[in-house]
């Protein structure tokens, strides 16, 4: 029943946003262009994460391979990108049950803005049905301590419902009702392919808890990764930011032959002053 209600809520939101978008001015529509328009965009900006020094988390076994998280910082110690690397064999022999992997980012690196990565493997996908119910990875980049994330409870209904103020929400994002324990509330990109007649291959989620955004989450299907993509996708920006920090302007999905591994990362991080 919960899954059905969630699906109906999401679909209602999609219809509502579609109607509202039809009434917006043309310049607003341009500013809210779907990230999928730039799927094949690869610029020099998309390679900035190669500059500076990169610091890695410990590795964890996943499937037949490993995963590790990392943060790259510039000469000032500011983070320029943060991501995970999955070895090619990590996509083989994956468990049949949902699995979670917590990757602690090195302390005192990248100004300590990003704290840890929570990677979920969903072999059957998850709700809503016919939207995200295919095998995929959820990769959450958190800016709160791991212990604070773990303290998010199943009955935190008030905190899940407490949304950030409108100026902190990017265009064409809307909150999915409810929340997930030890994770937070999720904000769906209503311009993403799966809400506009196309398949779900990848999407970019914002996550909040008790009125604050606390994570960013690329969601990517296993099949899409196996296609060996090389994409740098724009991240739509809000009008303002809640706290000083380093925010992604793009996210990247790529495959490397040497070594054979996949990279999923928030790139081209930009410092924004909080209000």
């Amino acid at each position: 029943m919960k899954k059905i209600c969630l699906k109906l809520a999401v679909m209602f939101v999609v219809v509502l946003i579609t109607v509202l978008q039809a009434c917006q001015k043309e310049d607003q529509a341009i500013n809210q262009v779907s990230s999928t328009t730039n799927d094949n965009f690869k610029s020099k900006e998309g390679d900035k994460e190669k500059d500076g020094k990169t610091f890695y988390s410990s590795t964890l076994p996943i499937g037949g391979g490993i995963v590790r998280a990392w943060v790259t910082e510039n000469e000032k110690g500011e983070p320029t990108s943060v991501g995970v690397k999955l070895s090619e064999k990590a996509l083989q022999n994956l468990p049949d049950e949902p699995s979670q992997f917590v990757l602690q980012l090195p302390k005192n690196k990248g100004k300590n803005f990003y704290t840890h990565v929570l990677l979920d493997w969903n072999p059957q996908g998850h709700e809503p049905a016919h939207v995200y119910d295919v095998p995929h990875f959820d990769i959450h980049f958190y800016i709160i301590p791991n212990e604070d994330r773990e303290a998010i409870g199943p009955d935190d209904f008030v905190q899940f419902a407490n949304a950030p103020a409108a100026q902190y929400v990017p265009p064409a994002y809307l909150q999915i009702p409810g929340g997930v324990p030890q994770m937070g509330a999720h904000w769906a990109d209503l311009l993403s392919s799966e809400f506009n007649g196309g398949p779900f291959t990848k999407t970019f989620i914002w996550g909040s808890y008790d009125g604050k955004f606390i994570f960013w989450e690329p969601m990517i299907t296993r099949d899409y990764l196996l296609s060996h993509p090389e994409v740098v996708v724009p991240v739509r920006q809000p009008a303002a930011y809640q706290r000083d920090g380093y925010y992604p302007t793009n996210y990247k999905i790529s495959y490397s032959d040497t070594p054979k591994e996949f990279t999923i990362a928030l790139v081209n991080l930009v410092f924004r002053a909080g209000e």
Side-chain angles (χ1 to χ4, degrees):
M1 181 64 182
K2 290 182 179 179
K3 292 183 178 181
I4 294 173
C5 291
L6 182 54
K7 178 187 175 184
L8 291 174
V10 172
M11 293 308 171
F12 171 78
V13 164
V14 174
V15 173
L16 177 61
I17 290 297
T18 301
V19 172
L20 291 175
Q21 287 176 334
C23 299
Q24 289 177 334
K25 294 180 181 180
E26 182 177 356
D27 60 341
Q28 290 175 317
I30 292 173
N31 288 335
Q32 296 181 2
V33 64
S34 171
S35 60
T36 58
T37 302
N38 296 284
D39 279 357
N40 295 318
F41 162 71
K42 186 181 180 183
S43 70
K44 293 181 180 179
E45 286 188 334
D47 292 327
K48 283 185 179 178
E49 73 274 14
K50 294 180 181 178
D51 299 331
K53 295 182 178 179
T54 299
F55 303 89
Y56 293 90
S57 73
S58 300
T59 61
L60 291 177
I62 176 173
I66 59 171
V67 61
R68 58 180 175 170
W70 51 269
V71 59
T72 297
E73 63 179 33
N74 61 22
E75 67 279 0
K76 297 179 181 179
E78 301 167 325
T80 58
S81 59
V82 60
V84 298
K85 291 185 181 294
L86 288 157
S87 64
E88 185 175 53
K89 292 184 178 180
L91 271 63
Q92 303 171 12
N93 300 316
L94 285 160
D96 295 329
E97 298 297 326
S99 305
Q100 285 191 340
F101 305 84
V102 179
L103 299 156
Q104 294 282 1
L105 290 164
K107 292 183 178 180
N108 303 317
K109 302 300 180 184
K111 300 291 187 181
N112 290 314
F113 186 65
Y114 293 92
T115 57
H116 67 286
V117 180
L118 176 67
L119 185 149
D120 282 10
W121 161 240
N122 303 283
Q124 288 82 41
H126 54 64
E127 70 274 358
H130 310 301
V131 180
Y132 296 130
D133 57 352
V134 295
H136 71 270
F137 296 93
D138 297 341
I139 305 161
H140 312 76
F141 294 91
Y142 276 91
I143 59 173
I144 61 171
N146 185 49
E147 54 268 27
D148 290 355
R149 177 189 63 79
E150 290 179 333
I152 297 174
D155 299 323
D156 292 357
F157 306 114
V158 173
Q159 292 88 341
F160 290 144
N162 183 16
Q167 66 266 32
Y168 305 127
V169 180
Y173 271 82
L174 209 66
Q175 185 176 0
I176 298 174
V180 181
Q182 298 187 334
M183 196 172 290
H186 292 68
W187 293 70
D189 177 4
L190 299 180
L191 300 183
S192 198
S193 171
E194 63 272 16
F195 294 124
N196 293 276
F200 163 49
T201 56
K202 66 184 185 309
T203 192
F204 193 80
I205 303 291
W206 287 54
S208 68
Y209 179 76
D210 201 15
K212 297 179 180 178
F213 282 114
I214 60 172
F215 69 84
W216 293 271
E217 176 195 351
M219 287 173 50
I220 308 165
T221 68
R222 179 178 179 273
D223 284 347
Y224 185 71
L225 286 175
L226 289 173
S227 73
H228 293 178
E230 183 71 30
V231 296
V232 178
V233 184
V235 173
R236 294 195 301 280
Q237 303 296 302
Y241 302 83
Q242 294 172 302
R243 57 174 280 193
D244 290 359
Y246 301 85
Y247 295 87
T249 58
N250 300 90
Y251 75 99
K252 177 180 180 177
I253 309 168
S254 65
Y255 174 78
S256 169
D257 281 318
T258 308
K260 294 184 180 296
E261 64 183 10
F262 303 91
T263 296
I264 301 98
L266 310 183
V267 299
N268 302 327
L269 304 181
V270 174
F271 177 80
R272 307 290 191 187
E275 293 186 343

